[in-house]
Amino acid sequence: MATHASYAMSEEYEPQRQGGKYSAANAKKRLVRKIQQDSMKQLAMTTQAVLVRSPTEPYYSYHMTITSEYYKQKWIACHRYSDFYRLRHTILEMLSVHARMGCPVCQTVHTQVKKFDFPSRDIFRRGALDKQVAIRQPMLEDFVVALCQYLSAEGLTVHCRNIVKVQNKMKDFIQFPLAHEEQHIRAIRSLTYVDPRDVHVETESCPICLNDWGELDGNQLVHAECGHFFHEYCINEWYTTRFDCPMCRHIAGL
């Protein structure tokens, strides 16, 4: 099974803080970027090669069983070997166009992806098909995981919006549950960050973790559109698996 390892860009790509703290608006943007990043990073997958007997000639289809630890979902994406080759070529082209315009982020990611010279069109041109598949199968897992890892590095989308397009291309290829992620992001954007000194909170603790509000600043207490208050971390974790309010069952992110 191929899984992700931690990968981070250098400090020059870290988002800048204002006076040591994020503003409420920046906090929401930061959380949305973190969702997009972590949802790609926390993936695990196994691959099974399935022989397809077509009218012309038989070929193998690679069935990737992908598990999202972030969204607690599992799905299967099926592709031929040539699809992986075209994916690598397309992503490199998308990155190189922006890199030639002087984007340091695209230049960095392009270098990382290019080092991974698999899949290649000419590799295994000769030899038994079953032997080719036995070698390709684990390498394709590593290839997909590596791409997700490079594209989910911290700070990438802060400095280059082109990376978001590349991320979406990758998510489309692995048939990522985009509908769930999009509703998750809409739900987060509907939250209001508040300072506990400026509002009256009827409950003494967070309805999700049941811990007292304690010493909170404006970037830790959020007000949902249904009227209830939560810890930012708690409601974000809640939205990874469901969108109904734990208090009133109002559906967020519609």
Side-chain angles (χ1 to χ4, degrees), residues 35-246:
I35 291 169
Q36 295 169 330
Q37 168 191 315
D38 289 350
S39 63
M40 285 191 71
K41 186 181 296 183
Q42 299 180 31
L43 295 176
M45 64 188 69
T46 57
T47 306
Q48 181 180 7
V50 178
L51 181 62
V52 179
R53 301 189 182 278
S54 67
T56 54
E57 61 179 358
Y59 65 89
Y60 275 93
S61 174
Y62 295 89
H63 293 203
M64 298 182 296
T65 301
I66 305 172
T67 303
S68 170
E69 299 296 335
Y70 191 75
Y71 284 128
K72 307 298 186 294
Q73 295 188 33
K74 180 184 290 187
W75 66 94
I76 296 177
C78 305
H79 294 285
R80 297 182 64 169
Y81 177 79
S82 57
D83 297 331
F84 291 90
Y85 170 81
R86 284 192 292 268
L87 173 71
R88 178 178 180 272
H89 177 79
T90 300
I91 287 181
L92 284 174
E93 183 63 26
M94 293 174 70
L95 292 169
S96 64
V97 169
H98 219 232
R100 288 194 295 267
M101 297 171 62
C103 175
V105 176
C106 286
Q107 289 175 351
T108 300
V109 180
H110 183 274
T111 301
Q112 296 284 358
V113 176
K114 196 170 184 179
K115 288 179 180 178
F116 208 104
D117 58 356
F118 180 85
S120 170
R121 174 176 289 175
D122 297 325
I123 197 168
F124 307 132
R125 180 177 291 176
R126 299 177 181 177
L129 188 59
D130 55 348
K131 183 178 180 180
Q132 294 178 12
V133 170
I135 298 175
R136 283 176 173 174
Q137 194 166 306
M139 295 182 73
L140 287 174
E141 287 182 9
D142 293 341
F143 167 69
V144 173
V145 168
L147 279 181
C148 291
Q149 180 176 326
Y150 298 147
L151 295 175
S152 61
E154 294 181 9
L156 286 183
T157 57
V158 177
H159 298 272
C160 178
R161 300 306 298 172
N162 184 56
I163 293 295
V164 176
K165 298 179 182 179
V166 181
Q167 286 178 343
N168 290 338
K169 181 69 177 179
M170 187 66 204
K171 288 180 177 179
D172 182 62
F173 181 82
I174 64 175
Q175 299 175 19
F176 189 85
L178 283 174
H180 188 101
E181 183 182 70
E182 289 169 357
Q183 186 171 358
H184 185 183
I185 291 174
R186 288 195 301 269
I188 292 299
R189 286 175 173 162
S190 70
L191 298 174
T192 302
Y193 287 77
V194 296
D195 191 318
R197 296 169 296 183
D198 299 333
V199 296
H200 173 67
V201 183
E202 295 181 355
T203 58
E204 296 181 355
S205 61
C206 173
I208 298 176
C209 68
L210 303 181
N211 290 328
D212 293 341
W213 296 119
E215 297 295 328
L216 299 175
D217 61 34
N219 292 339
Q220 293 176 306
L221 181 64
V222 294
H223 182 233
E225 58 185 359
C226 61
H228 295 108
F229 293 89
F230 306 96
H231 288 130
E232 176 203 64
Y233 173 82
C234 296
I235 195 61
N236 181 49
E237 287 293 304
W238 182 272
Y239 286 157
T240 60
T241 56
R242 55 194 302 176
F243 298 107
D244 55 332
C245 171

